[in-house]
Amino acid sequence: MKQQRSAALFERAARVIPGGVNSPVRAFRAVGGTPPFIARGEGARIWDADGNCYLDYVGSWGPLLLGHAHPDVVAAIEDAARGGTSFGLPTEREVELAELICGAMPSIEMVRLVNSGTEATMSALRLARAFTRRELVVKFEGCYHGHVDSLLVKAGSGVATLGIPDTTGVPAAFAETTIALPYNSVAAVEQAFARYGDRIAAVIVEPVAGNMGCVPPAPGFLEALRDLTMRHGALLVFDEVMTGFRLALGGAQQVYGIRPDLTTLGKVIGGGLPIGAYGGRADIMRMVAPSGPVYQAGTLSGNPVAVSAGLATLKRLKQHPEIYTQLEQRTARLAAAASGRITVNRAGSMITFFFTSGPVTDYESARRCDTARFARFHRWLLERGICLPPSQFEAAFVSAAHGDEEIAQTVEAIREFFAGEPTA
Ligand code: HOZ
């Protein structure tokens, strides 16, 4: 595999960009080697600066349900751009996107568009604190809700990948407003509420965790969160940045039948362009300025290009519900390829190959993985033209563009890896 151009770009980048990348996991430090610098993408494939082609399971970390450069999305972007790329004034398309989101996720009665998942969670928690007049927030170890100061406590994703200490640069006073508990532990949440119940503003959770690798909720976990928050007057916030529109049109909340008070969404509602949203109960959302006293604003919020790309994506998903059945079946084939060798966690089209033999149900069990073996697996696949997220602690994503042929190619490479591994 030629990597001269990527290597040169990485070296050049490192002179002007910290670590040579604009988001840490992309540096490939967890798996070694040079990150491929991507020149273009189409369907299920991406090409790097050296001309290497990969089947892409990073999928921009989730939003590209239709694959790269889907013609509907590209046409929507071109059309929108011709009409002006930013106004800082309202547009009709934002209303259409808000209506589409509210229609797909009934718990979202009102929604505010922002620019990223980080903005969405940051704003949702400010709102939860204002609504409840309380300060504490419960999060779960290994869940990642963007780089919001108080949510970087025991965070997943790049924080887990690089083993970064929780509070570097975060004032202790911020971190102290966060209670981090083990994912899937109802007992821990019960204890936290028993101790701090009247001070907890919200419980924020990835209803299927994707940022410590894919970890689905244990039966009864989400139900318990709903019940405990309701009983104690706290809000339940579902971070559906990864799961929204991916597990189903109505996200994880549709799949698991739970109605959160607030939901955060990310790049999926922009078809992969920079956007985010938070929404939920109307009585809570009416507290957002200018209806209410909770301030949050942004010139690029509801940006016409991102909104148009999102509309094109979500409309297509709505018109083609069979996409979800296909995604499910194809991702199940990937999971089966490694079954019996390692632990594979899957929820719909989110999947992680965990290099451990035990079940992975929380951050602690995810940390038991053999990350060096994962790195060898990653490299093996990369050299065969298959690009997984470069960390054991990230989910891989299948798109509608991953057809039978692409899945078969991936299954074969996975099987060959395990067949060629020395037995213990
Ligand atoms: N931490 C992000 C996924 N969980 C990755 C962001 C990126 O590198 O784009």
Side-chain angles (χ1 to χ4, degrees):
M1 188 170 71
K2 279 191 305 172
Q3 282 213 296
Q4 286 91 327
R5 286 180 71 88
S6 282
L9 284 168
F10 195 34
E11 207 182 297
R12 193 173 135 204
R15 280 184 229 127
V16 283
I17 302 173
V21 287
N22 281 313
S23 195
V25 183
R26 296 179 201 176
F28 270 50
R29 289 201 182 170
V31 291
T34 302
F37 274 60
I38 305 307
R40 71 182 190 92
E42 193 183 326
R45 291 179 170 75
I46 49 177
W47 286 262
D48 70 14
D50 291 282
N52 300 305
C53 174
Y54 309 93
L55 281 177
D56 179 27
Y57 290 96
V58 178
S60 194
W61 307 94
L64 300 184
L65 277 148
L66 302 178
H68 292 277
H70 188 279
D72 289 6
V73 180
V74 173
I77 291 171
E78 280 174 359
D79 188 51
R82 266 189 221 103
T85 52
S86 181
F87 305 115
L89 291 168
T91 63
E92 183 173 346
R93 306 173 249 230
E94 293 162 66
V95 187
E96 203 186 336
L97 184 59
E99 286 168 348
L100 209 155
I101 293 169
C102 294
M105 295 185 162
S107 77
I108 304 184
E109 295 165 351
M110 298 184 91
V111 63
R112 169 57 67 82
L113 300 182
V114 290
N115 295 297
S116 68
T118 295
E119 274 192 39
T121 54
M122 179 180 76
S123 310
L125 291 187
R126 181 183 303 141
L127 178 59
R129 287 180 163 125
F131 185 80
T132 57
R133 295 169 192 244
R134 299 174 179 181
E135 285 200 346
L136 299 181
V137 166
V138 170
K139 79 171 284 280
F140 294 94
E141 294 165 8
C143 284
Y144 178 74
H145 305 287
H147 56 94
V148 180
D149 276 350
S150 63
L151 293 176
L152 283 176
V153 180
K154 301 234 187 303
S157 190
V159 182
T161 303
L162 300 172
I164 289 174
D166 290 333
T167 54
T168 304
V170 176
F174 291 9
E176 279 158 17
T177 62
T178 307
I179 302 170
L181 303 175
Y183 194 78
N184 274 330
S185 172
V186 175
V189 186
E190 282 170 345
Q191 278 163 24
F193 272 104
R195 191 152 173 210
Y196 305 108
D198 57 350
R199 294 176 56 204
I200 297 174
V203 172
I204 185 165
V205 65
E206 293 180 71
V208 170
N211 285 289
M212 51 179 142
C214 174
V215 179
F221 177 59
L222 298 176
E223 289 79 354
L225 297 186
R226 181 61 288 182
D227 179 54
L228 283 161
T229 45
M230 251 158 117
R231 274 199 278 138
H232 290 270
L235 301 185
L236 179 60
V237 184
F238 269 15
D239 180 341
E240 295 233 38
V241 166
M242 279 188 177
T243 53
F245 292 93
R246 174 161 279 279
L247 296 193
L249 203 67
Q253 52 196 270
Q254 176 187 322
V255 174
Y256 294 96
I258 306 286
R259 193 177 170 103
D261 300 298
L262 293 173
T263 298
T264 58
L265 294 165
K267 46 217 168 231
V268 66
I269 60 161
L273 268 67
I275 196 169
Y278 63 105
R281 277 167 42 190
D283 59 329
I284 304 173
M285 291 304 292
R286 283 202 189 94
M287 285 193 72
V288 178
S291 310
V294 180
Y295 198 71
Q296 175 271 307
T299 299
L300 292 171
S301 300
N303 173 265
V305 184
V307 166
S308 300
L311 277 171
T313 302
L314 303 190
K315 279 182 187 168
R316 188 158 182 99
L317 291 172
K318 199 172 164 186
Q319 283 157 7
H320 294 277
E322 73 280 4
I323 285 178
Y324 290 103
T325 321
Q326 284 165 3
L327 286 173
E328 175 84 29
Q329 290 165 351
R330 289 174 183 160
T331 316
R333 283 172 58 200
L334 294 184
S339 126
R341 300 288 192 160
I342 52 169
T343 297
V344 184
N345 279 6
R346 181 181 75 81
S349 53
M350 294 168 65
I351 184 169
T352 300
F353 300 97
F354 283 112
F355 281 78
T356 177
S357 52
V360 177
T361 56
D362 57 14
Y363 191 39
E364 204 186 309
S365 42
R367 302 279 318 166
R368 277 186 218 124
C369 287
D370 182 342
T371 51
R373 195 172 161 217
F374 171 81
R376 286 196 295 278
F377 177 65
H378 187 277
R379 170 66 36 190
W380 169 277
L381 292 180
L382 199 71
E383 283 168 357
R384 281 147 192 84
I386 294 159
C387 185
L388 284 187
S391 164
Q392 176 68 98
F393 307 111
E394 297 283 0
F397 300 94
V398 178
S399 84
H402 292 77
D404 285 335
E405 195 188 308
E406 286 80 12
I407 296 293
Q409 184 187 331
T410 312
V411 164
E412 198 186 319
I414 292 172
R415 291 215 172 111
E416 276 173 13
F417 173 81
F418 289 112
E421 261 201 326
T423 41

